[in-house]
Amino acid sequence: MAKILFVVSGADHWTLADGTAHPTGFWAEEAVAPYRAFNDAGHEVVVATPGGVVPTVDRGSLAPEVNGGQEGADAVAAGLEAFEELRRPVALEDVDPDAYDAVFYPGGHGPMEDLAVDPVSGRLLARVLASGKPLGVVCHGPAALLATTGPDGRSAFAGYRLTGFTNTEESQAGFADKAKWLLQDRLVALGADFQEGEPWAPFVITDRNLITGQNPASSAPLAAEMLNRLD
């Protein structure tokens, strides 16, 4: 049995370019689908958030229209209810990454608010990357990689092939012209080799031990790839 750390945003809003706070958090499917896959495989999941706050789900991620209809929305809601570890997270500051076999970051706009500038998360990411253990990051979760830039201005993730929520998807979601910055642009500026698949379709990129997914639909195939690495 492996022990897998979920690092989840503790933010309940995303500050837009005009200063307004857009209610958000983590995206339900991106947490539920991997949790279900890992749990069904018999692995242990521990959730960590900055400060140990109970994470907020983005209510928009529970809507039928983003879950393929009411049946899909009900399944995600049930999965969220079963994900008991979300209700008793540990403080990210207290986490020893050496105690885990793999690390996973779900998205939602929350990471754009807190994990993107969280040095504790940044150090953890760099350490897990160097360890060779599976590191999965999906959708807006790669915003956390922005906190890995060192004093020399370089990130350990520079040169890695990866993906994340694209400018096209942000535009189609209606936020591109409201955001302070776009994730794809920042990851390119970080020095990453950003790969872009079709909007909203599953798209997973692996480069060494880093496994990234573009959007919510990529969370289940990303989890499957992580399970392959843990076998």
Side-chain angles (χ1 to χ4, degrees), residues 188-221:
V188 170
L190 190 74
D193 181 5
F194 191 92
Q195 307 286 306
E196 183 173 356
E198 290 297 317
W200 311 108
F203 186 66
V204 174
I205 291 289
T206 61
D207 187 347
R208 288 155 277 185
N209 60 317
L210 177 64
I211 309 158
T212 52
Q214 180 172 309
N215 46 37
S218 306
S219 56

Side-chain angles (χ1 to χ4, degrees), residues 11-24 109 112-113 174-175 177-181:
D12 61 5
H13 69 279
W14 175 35
T15 305
L16 302 178
D18 65 0
T20 59
H22 172 70
T24 188
H109 280 117
M112 303 276 279
E113 183 73 19
F175 287 106
D177 60 349
K178 300 176 182 178
K180 290 181 178 180
W181 46 270

Side-chain angles (χ1 to χ4, degrees), residues 138-140 142 162-166 169 183-184 187 194-195 212-215:
V138 70
C139 200
H140 287 92
L162 53 77
T163 190
F165 205 65
T166 64
E169 288 166 322
L183 179 59
Q184 180 176 345
L187 291 173
F194 191 92
Q195 307 286 306
T212 52
Q214 180 172 309
N215 46 37

Side-chain angles (χ1 to χ4, degrees), residues 6-15 22-27 47-58 86 89-93 104-118 121 140-141 143-144:
F6 274 48
V7 180
V8 183
S9 168
D12 61 5
H13 69 279
W14 175 35
T15 305
H22 172 70
T24 188
F26 69 90
W27 197 260
V47 173
T49 62
V53 301
V54 175
T56 299
V57 65
D58 187 319
L86 281 170
V90 301
L92 185 58
E93 298 82 357
F104 172 70
Y105 278 65
H109 280 117
M112 303 276 279
E113 183 73 19
D114 61 353
L115 297 180
V117 294
D118 190 313
S121 172
H140 287 92

Side-chain angles (χ1 to χ4, degrees), residues 27 29 59-74 200:
W27 197 260
E29 181 184 3
R59 304 305 299 180
S61 69
L62 301 176
E65 55 266 29
V66 298
N67 288 294
Q70 190 60 53
E71 184 176 347
D74 291 344
W200 311 108

Side-chain angles (χ1 to χ4, degrees), residues 32 35-36 62 71-83 87:
V32 167
Y35 174 76
R36 184 181 293 125
L62 301 176
E71 184 176 347
D74 291 344
V76 167
L80 202 60
E81 181 64 27
F83 195 165
R87 294 186 282 279

